[in-house]
Amino acid sequence: MSITLKSAEDIEKMRIAGRLAADVLDYITPFVKPGVTTGELDRLCHDFMVNVQGVVPAPLHYQPPGHSPYPKSICTSVNHQVCHGIPGERVLKNGDIVNLDITVIKDGWHGDTSRMFVAGEASIQSRRLVQATFEAMWIGIAAVRPGAHLGDIGHVIQKHAESQGYSVVREFCGHGIGRNFHEDPQVLHYGKPGTGVKLLPGMIFTIEPMINAGRRDIRQLGDGWTIVTKDHSLSAQWEHTILVTESGHEVLTLSPGCPPVPAFIAQAA
Ligand code: MF3
Ligand code: CO
Ligand code: CO
């Protein structure tokens, strides 16, 4: 596969898909509370996507090579679950942290975004990890401009995470996105400045760091999807879909309910 550059018309469709994905997260936010099951969150999001937005939930029956078809419409990854958690009977308890990852298909184009949520009141350690991961994502986004390299993005994310004693998951990465859920390039969340693909206007990809409080090692559960930390330490992830513009970047998955950009990023921009 090669990296597709999106035309002005393609970009307009991607803006719409990205905003719709973010709107699902805004919609579900008030439901993420102690007592709710991850399966209920999936059902609510599914019904909103299909019946209100008229979009297709991209995860449902998604089957990359070597996988069984994904059985649900969103991913719900709780506490030491890193990503691709399958919604089900699990009841959220006070202090749980959960990533909700939403990907919609609108008119054949994909929008992909995820946020962390806290059920009730989280511990200081949980909040620090969630905040550090949010900042890591935004520091990566701030590095996106024509002429920059993918390694620049990975490097700043890795530096931010590791300087706080956290580790970066290596096995999963951001990805090009458009007519396909996952396209080239792979966007690693670690790396060296000046290495990797050089960014051009019209590229669209996600930045979605998975940061662990403990070691970076992961394993897959027997369900064939859910990824967990080997040492059972907490893990956090945030995700946006980003367009490289002539002058820098545009985040395609913003919505009114997005937490504000960290002040130290907003000032530098
Ligand atoms: N949304 C995830 C990503 O950010 C991919 C989920 S694949 C699924 O790339 F099948 F688990 F939904
Ligand atoms: Co995603
Ligand atoms: Co993604």
Side-chain angles (χ1 to χ4, degrees):
M1 233 203 302
S2 57
I3 302 175
T4 63
L5 295 182
K6 273 71 179 178
S7 69
E9 297 78 56
D10 300 345
I11 290 167
E12 198 41 56
K13 302 279 193 185
M14 286 296 287
R15 284 196 183 101
I16 292 166
R19 173 59 191 263
L20 286 163
D23 285 344
V24 178
L25 289 170
D26 287 6
Y27 160 74
I28 201 64
T29 298
F31 297 100
V32 188
K33 292 192 296 205
V36 76
T37 67
T38 54
E40 281 160 1
L41 297 175
D42 175 73
R43 184 181 50 78
L44 286 162
C45 288
H46 175 93
D47 290 351
F48 184 75
M49 288 188 267
V50 171
N51 300 329
V52 178
Q53 294 186 316
V55 303
V56 174
L60 190 59
H61 311 315
Y62 182 59
Q63 188 173 18
H67 278 80
S68 50
Y70 188 80
K72 296 287 178 181
S73 295
I74 71 170
C75 298
T76 55
S77 304
V78 184
N79 294 342
H80 78 296
Q81 297 178 347
V82 174
C83 62
H84 305 167
I86 301 177
E89 299 305 298
R90 183 177 187 145
V91 180
L92 294 185
K93 338 185 268 336
N94 187 52
D96 281 348
I97 61 170
V98 57
N99 174 277
L100 302 185
D101 194 341
I102 306 293
T103 313
V104 307
I105 311 172
K106 180 69 173 179
D107 282 347
W109 296 88
H110 291 71
D112 189 8
T113 183
S114 81
R115 295 181 199 156
M116 294 302 296
F117 297 84
V118 168
E121 295 127 45
S123 66
I124 288 175
Q125 299 95 291
S126 302
R127 278 187 277 134
R128 273 190 57 223
L129 175 68
V130 167
Q131 180 63 22
T133 307
F134 181 65
E135 291 169 1
M137 173 188 67
W138 274 108
I139 290 169
I141 292 171
V144 176
R145 64 184 72 89
H149 294 259
L150 283 180
D152 302 344
I153 300 171
H155 178 71
V156 292
I157 291 172
Q158 180 178 18
K159 212 173 64 176
H160 191 72
E162 292 182 353
S163 68
Q164 295 174 72
Y166 299 137
S167 64
V168 177
V169 171
R170 306 292 175 105
E171 291 83 351
F172 296 90
C173 54
H175 49 92
I177 183 168
R179 286 196 179 277
N180 304 296
F181 195 161
H182 295 103
E183 303 181 353
D184 280 345
Q186 294 196 36
V187 181
L188 305 184
H189 302 114
Y190 60 93
K192 297 205 190 324
T195 66
V197 168
K198 201 182 210 181
L199 303 186
L200 294 171
M203 290 182 180
I204 299 182
F205 51 80
T206 71
I207 297 180
E208 49 180 302
M210 283 141 275
I211 307 295
N212 298 346
R215 298 176 60 87
R216 67 177 172 83
D217 309 70
I218 54 150
R219 65 185 186 87
Q220 191 181 83
L221 296 187
D223 64 17
W225 279 100
T226 308
I227 304 297
V228 298
T229 56
K230 255 191 188 160
D231 64 6
H232 278 233
S233 62
L234 286 177
S235 188
Q237 180 180 30
W238 292 80
E239 176 176 24
H240 273 307
T241 298
I242 316 294
L243 163 71
V244 184
T245 63
E246 296 290 338
S247 61
H249 61 263
E250 179 181 330
V251 181
L252 301 180
T253 38
L254 295 175
S255 63
C258 281
V261 181
F264 68 97
I265 300 280
Q267 276 155 21

